[in-house]
Amino acid sequence: MYHVVKKRLLATGIALLDVNAPAVAAKVEPGQFVIVRVDELSERIPLTVMDFDREKGTITIVVQDVGYSSAIITRMNEGDQFQDFVGPLGVASEVENYGTVVCIGGGLGIAPVHPIARALKEAGNHVISVLGSRSADLLILEDEMHAASSEVVIATNDGSKGVKGFVTDGLAEVLAQGHQVKAIWAIGPMIMMKAVVDYTRPLGIKTIVSMNPIMVDGTGMCGACRISVGDETKFACVDGPEFDGHLVDFDLAMKRLAFYKDEENQAKARLECDCGKEGGHH
Amino acid sequence: MTEKVESTKKVKIPRHEMPCQEPQVRAHNFEEVALGYSEETAIEEAKRCLQCKKPKCISGCPVSVLIPEFIKKIAEGDFQEAGNVLKIKNSLPAVCGRVCPQENQCESKCILGIKGESVAIGRLERFAADFGMKTGKSEVQKPEPSGKRVAIIGAGPAGLACAGDLAKAGHAVTVFEALHVAGGVLMYGIPQFRLPKEIVQTEIDNLKEMGVEILTNQVVGKITSVDELMENGYDAVFIGTGAGLPYFMDIPGENLNGVYSANEFLTRTNLMKGYKFPEYATPVKVGKNVAVLGAGNVAMDSARTALRLGAENVYIIYRRSRDEMPARKEELEHAEEEGIQFRLLTNPVSIEGDERGWVKSLTCLRYELGEPDASGRRAPIAIKGSEFEIPMDTVVVAIGQGPNPLVTTSTPGLELNKRGNIVADPDTLMTSKPGVFAGGDIVTGAATVILAMGAGKKAAAGIEEYLKTK
């Protein structure tokens, strides 16, 4: 039922998949996510929505091969099916006309920031997107982000494209131009989002982050995804995933992400040695 | 006269024990603990039933199973028919025979229990249901379609019982379930060693054969809403979304790695089959020393699960004494036999972590019981200065669950009480919204499987009445 309609490789190990899920596509809003399970033996993993097409009934996800489940998904082909595809989940982004806003996407985080930037632009904002990656060849969705934004600034760690440095260097460049930035969305690895909020906190610019902790059900029944926001415990799956970045305890969130590191490595190693073998996982 | 002599004799026959796996063996596997009666034992036990003219046992059953009737069939050796009789009132007998607290329900009313031991109704129910399942014969008679459609939100015990009764009445029933399988707590909560998932699935498949449509991966409140369901042609809606919101202690250290809610711990293990990692991809892990906070059935399930996952020391930590523990007596005994350690009159005040953010120890206070309060319950009082620290690797919080607000917050006009539970008419289970009914834990707060099923059946009757007026 939830089959892959279209697949496109965006960079080495990064795949874009259009998945047939009409009911989800009918309801999803920017900022929301889905939970997928490939088959009977798979785990449930959360993926932020990169795009949706209500008419075609598809949801677009972007997945990077970083562990066991993501490796399986990036290797899926057109016609392959997800056993389960649940959503939309989480609270949608608060889209209104703020004036000038900045949308920061780091690495794979460019995918989830995409629908938010587009919605903000459609709502009348001047949207400046700051895209970051380690190098030019890993930069994804550049054309899509140009279409979704008023301006695009690129930062690469090795300087192979745009500003040399991190997304915070790209943001510094935007702010140096004198824009009156009313709000910032920052989505990417935890360490990147932490760097952005540390940078914007003294400047007093409202900064929204999208948290991606470990999740199981995604409907608020287990608390695996709990994070600390302004000294209150919140469940990212139902209270978020977006939160005021200046209130999030990132150190705690990063420690919690590492809880199953050993098991993840074990599963990934098993997948690699099973590859091509008869009776393997896939 | 002869009848009376016979009853006196029957009182003296003790009820038949059900064989179990040995505690030392079962503590290390996920196979079912209780093995069920043999045919011979079932017949012997069934013959103990006095076949009362006015059976009290039925009044103790929340779904009014025709108890003497099905037991008579077992006594006669007609096991298939016994199962059929069970199914008249109960859509999930193999489940109820395993998880009901019969000692507080049907068996507590059994006349034999006054002077001797009550008939083992639960064990006989389990036997008859299992027999029916093995033979695979289910007699489905499709009723005349009524032309009415009913949507059920939540495929737990309340929703499934409601669906079963409505389908029997000829209504077109669609169940919307948020998870990827139906069953609710029967699938994610109660462990495999107490309730094998294959058995739950077989009973759910039987419901589907009766014509109940079950749609999984449907989070009502997100993908659709109660109002939309009513607009889209459903004549009535039943909300049976349960109590799936875990409570935490609100003590320092609760977000450290190694602290689970019981819901997460059991969902990873049961629903996702984490105990078979890495064959199944979802990990679940416990350290050497595991503390389970709380003393209800969920706490017992968590403790016994932790043991089977390889923990060396598993502690139940509870601030009252043994007499106040809410868990079923049988579960407590099983836990104890398997080596679960009880730290009673003890309550944690904080969880300490190491520099990597992992649980390292638990600091607790000792308690004593005060004078009985107005309700007769003795309140636990902390003993000042009694703090002590126990080394710990894993903590499972099993202090209760509240109502998940996903459905209620997306349904305007639905009256809730101050705890967030839905207010429903006690007789019809209709909510403040006409045509919308609710039952089970979402109305009562966390209770038992069979009470939820009873509520599901009651709502089905309420819906039936309501549909006649439409």
Side-chain angles (χ1 to χ4, degrees):
Chain A
M1 181 157 88
Y2 309 110
H3 62 273
V4 177
V5 177
K6 213 176 89 187
K7 178 182 185 174
R8 181 154 63 101
L9 273 180
L10 301 182
T12 309
I14 302 181
L16 175 150
L17 304 173
D18 288 347
V19 182
N20 180 56
V24 184
K27 283 294 172 72
V28 67
E29 295 291 343
Q32 292 189 299
F33 67 96
V34 293
I35 284 203
V36 306
R37 197 171 73 120
V38 178
D39 63 19
E40 197 49 44
L41 301 176
S42 299
E43 54 183 338
R44 294 167 65 99
I45 65 162
L47 296 169
T48 321
V49 171
M50 179 264 160
D51 206 348
F52 49 88
D53 189 323
R54 301 206 202 279
E55 274 173 33
K56 284 187 189 150
T58 57
I59 296 285
T60 307
I61 51 174
V62 175
V63 185
Q64 183 167 20
D65 178 353
V66 288
Y68 173 77
S69 292
S70 57
I72 291 172
I73 295 170
T74 51
R75 291 168 200 183
M76 287 173 82
N77 291 311
E78 288 171 14
D80 288 349
Q81 293 197 359
F82 286 92
Q83 184 154 332
D84 302 293
F85 197 91
V86 195
L89 297 170
V91 180
S93 308
E94 274 184 46
V95 174
E96 51 184 272
N97 193 346
Y98 298 92
T100 297
V101 295
V102 173
C103 288
I104 303 176
L108 200 69
I110 297 170
V113 96
H114 168 261
I116 302 170
R118 184 175 60 193
L120 286 164
K121 193 180 167 198
E122 282 167 5
N125 291 282
H126 183 78
V127 178
I128 306 170
S129 290
V130 177
L131 314 181
S133 70
R134 270 187 287 142
S135 60
D137 57 326
L138 286 171
L139 188 71
I140 58 167
L141 302 170
E142 207 186 326
D143 294 345
E144 286 82 354
M145 287 308 292
H146 270 288
S149 323
S150 316
E151 298 177 42
V152 172
V153 174
I154 290 166
T156 51
N157 300 0
D158 64 359
S160 49
K161 189 158 193 172
V163 183
K164 184 177 190 312
F166 298 96
V167 288
T168 40
D169 298 303
L171 176 62
E173 189 155 292
V174 172
L175 296 173
Q177 288 164 8
H179 290 288
Q180 290 298 306
V181 175
K182 299 291 185 205
I184 296 173
W185 269 260
I187 309 183
M190 293 260 195
I191 192 84
M192 181 220 94
M193 295 194 284
K194 182 180 191 304
V196 172
V197 300
D198 285 345
Y199 184 86
T200 61
R201 191 179 286 110
L203 305 174
I205 307 173
K206 180 180 168 183
T207 304
I208 297 141
V209 295
S210 180
M211 301 301 284
N212 195 6
I214 293 171
M215 286 188 190
V216 184
D217 63 288
T219 61
M221 66 168 264
C222 82
C225 65
R226 61 196 191 274
I227 58 170
S228 183
V229 182
D231 290 331
E232 261 186 89
T233 293
K234 297 278 185 190
F235 291 2
C237 70
V238 286
D239 299 320
E242 292 186 3
F243 293 98
D244 180 343
H246 294 150
L247 299 177
V248 170
D249 183 341
F250 277 101
D251 292 335
L252 178 75
M254 283 189 274
K255 283 175 183 164
R256 284 184 64 80
L257 261 189
F259 184 38
Y260 290 107
K261 265 271 160 329
D262 295 346
E263 287 75 11
E264 283 166 21
N265 292 338
Q266 189 187 342
K268 183 80 191 285
R270 186 169 172 274
L271 176 70
E272 300 307 339
C273 85
D274 272 0
C275 250
K277 259 195 229 165
E278 206 61 41
H281 195 293
H282 286 269
Chain B
M1 191 63 200
T2 45
E3 203 176 282
K4 196 154 194 193
V5 171
E6 200 178 307
S7 352
T8 321
K9 265 199 287 181
K10 283 185 179 178
V11 171
K12 288 187 182 150
I13 308 169
R15 60 200 236 142
H16 294 79
E17 286 303 319
M18 179 163 53
C20 283
Q21 279 195 71
E22 288 302 319
Q24 310 87 291
V25 176
R26 71 185 193 229
H28 305 289
N29 69 49
F30 277 85
E31 303 297 314
E32 193 170 15
V33 167
L35 301 170
Y37 278 157
S38 65
E39 294 187 3
E40 295 73 28
T41 316
I43 291 174
E44 286 307 309
E45 181 63 26
K47 283 181 176 166
R48 291 182 64 233
C49 174
L50 298 177
Q51 293 292 318
C52 301
K53 292 276 181 305
K54 288 181 185 163
K56 292 217 165 89
C57 50
I58 297 181
S59 68
C61 172
V63 300
S64 310
V65 162
L66 306 170
I67 294 168
E69 211 176 305
F70 98 78
I71 291 182
K72 187 159 181 272
K73 294 293 171 197
I74 296 179
E76 291 166 359
D78 190 351
F79 306 139
Q80 184 66 46
E81 189 51 29
N84 294 345
V85 172
L86 269 175
K87 287 235 160 185
I88 295 171
K89 295 286 184 179
N90 190 340
S91 317
L92 312 167
V95 170
C96 291
R98 286 173 167 81
V99 304
C100 274
Q102 290 100 3
E103 65 276 15
N104 306 326
Q105 295 177 336
C106 53
E107 291 176 12
S108 76
K109 307 278 183 186
C110 176
I111 291 297
L112 284 185
I114 299 173
K115 287 191 175 164
E117 288 184 294
S118 58
V119 174
I121 302 168
R123 293 170 189 174
L124 289 172
E125 179 177 37
R126 170 186 163 137
F127 170 81
D130 285 3
F131 184 87
M133 221 170 254
K134 262 183 282 174
T135 58
K137 274 187 277 174
S138 68
E139 289 170 23
V140 182
Q141 289 167 334
K142 288 265 163 71
E144 199 65 25
S146 70
K148 298 280 201 288
R149 295 172 70 203
V150 182
I152 292 184
I153 306 172
L160 293 177
C162 188
D165 276 18
L166 290 170
K168 280 178 200 161
H171 306 305
V173 181
T174 310
V175 183
F176 295 82
E177 167 57 41
L179 289 172
H180 57 267
V181 293
V185 74
L186 308 175
M187 279 299 195
Y188 74 75
I190 303 174
Q192 180 78 6
F193 55 84
R194 229 159 46 82
L195 179 63
K197 302 306 139 206
E198 302 74 27
I199 283 174
V200 182
Q201 192 56 54
T202 307
E203 296 214 309
I204 290 169
D205 291 344
N206 287 341
L207 273 177
K208 287 190 199 162
E209 245 172 75
M210 285 168 52
V212 174
E213 182 186 27
I214 300 181
L215 303 178
T216 52
N217 297 327
Q218 307 289 315
V219 183
V220 176
K222 293 289 178 189
I223 202 161
T224 186
S225 67
V226 171
D227 289 341
E228 279 181 359
L229 289 170
M230 296 294 266
E231 283 160 24
N232 291 337
Y234 285 99
D235 299 290
V237 174
F238 172 74
I239 305 174
T241 49
L245 182 81
Y247 288 145
F248 284 91
M249 300 277 296
D250 210 11
I251 56 175
E254 229 168 0
N255 292 340
L256 289 163
N257 282 345
V259 183
Y260 287 100
S261 72
N263 268 7
E264 182 189 353
F265 187 60
L266 294 173
T267 298
R268 282 179 177 276
T269 315
N270 300 322
L271 180 72
M272 305 310 299
K273 303 211 177 345
Y275 67 95
K276 293 186 183 170
F277 180 87
E279 182 195 354
Y280 282 76
T282 305
V284 56
K285 63 176 167 190
V286 298
K288 249 198 244 178
N289 300 303
V290 179
V292 176
L293 313 181
N297 289 326
V298 174
M300 296 307 141
D301 285 345
S302 301
R304 298 172 69 195
T305 297
L307 203 64
R308 285 160 172 78
L309 289 172
E312 285 172 21
N313 295 298
V314 182
Y315 306 97
I316 287 278
I317 297 184
Y318 182 52
R319 64 193 179 128
R320 297 174 194 264
S321 70
R322 194 181 175 95
D323 290 344
E324 288 83 17
M325 291 173 94
R328 266 186 90 183
K329 194 167 151 267
E330 184 184 295
E331 303 309 326
L332 255 174
E333 286 169 3
H334 277 161
E336 207 159 33
E337 285 167 12
E338 289 167 13
I340 305 295
Q341 302 166 54
F342 293 82
R343 294 282 182 273
L344 304 176
L345 292 165
T346 301
N347 209 35
V349 287
S350 64
I351 306 166
E352 289 74 37
D354 62 18
E355 65 291 339
R356 294 185 308 145
W358 289 50
V359 172
K360 177 177 83 175
S361 65
L362 194 62
T363 298
C364 297
L365 270 180
R366 290 191 208 286
Y367 277 63
E368 58 191 355
L369 289 181
E371 292 303 310
D373 61 12
S375 68
R377 215 170 172 206
R378 297 176 66 188
I381 302 163
I383 302 172
K384 279 205 182 96
S386 64
E387 277 99 342
F388 66 102
E389 203 176 324
I390 337 174
M392 208 60 73
D393 311 294
T394 306
V395 177
V396 180
V397 185
I399 58 165
Q401 300 97 235
N404 188 310
L406 271 180
V407 171
T408 52
T409 52
S410 62
T411 311
L414 198 61
E415 194 192 333
L416 306 179
N417 70 15
K418 59 178 191 297
R419 288 183 303 273
N421 293 107
I422 298 175
V423 177
D425 181 288
D427 296 321
T428 64
L429 293 187
M430 184 139 91
T431 66
S432 55
K433 274 175 93 84
V436 179
F437 296 74
D441 287 2
I442 188 68
V443 170
T444 58
T448 62
V449 167
I450 189 67
L451 284 173
M453 289 185 59
K457 287 182 83 74
K458 193 187 237 186
I463 291 169
E464 187 70 23
E465 273 307 301
Y466 171 79
L467 291 179
K468 281 182 192 158
T469 68
K470 280 203 69 171

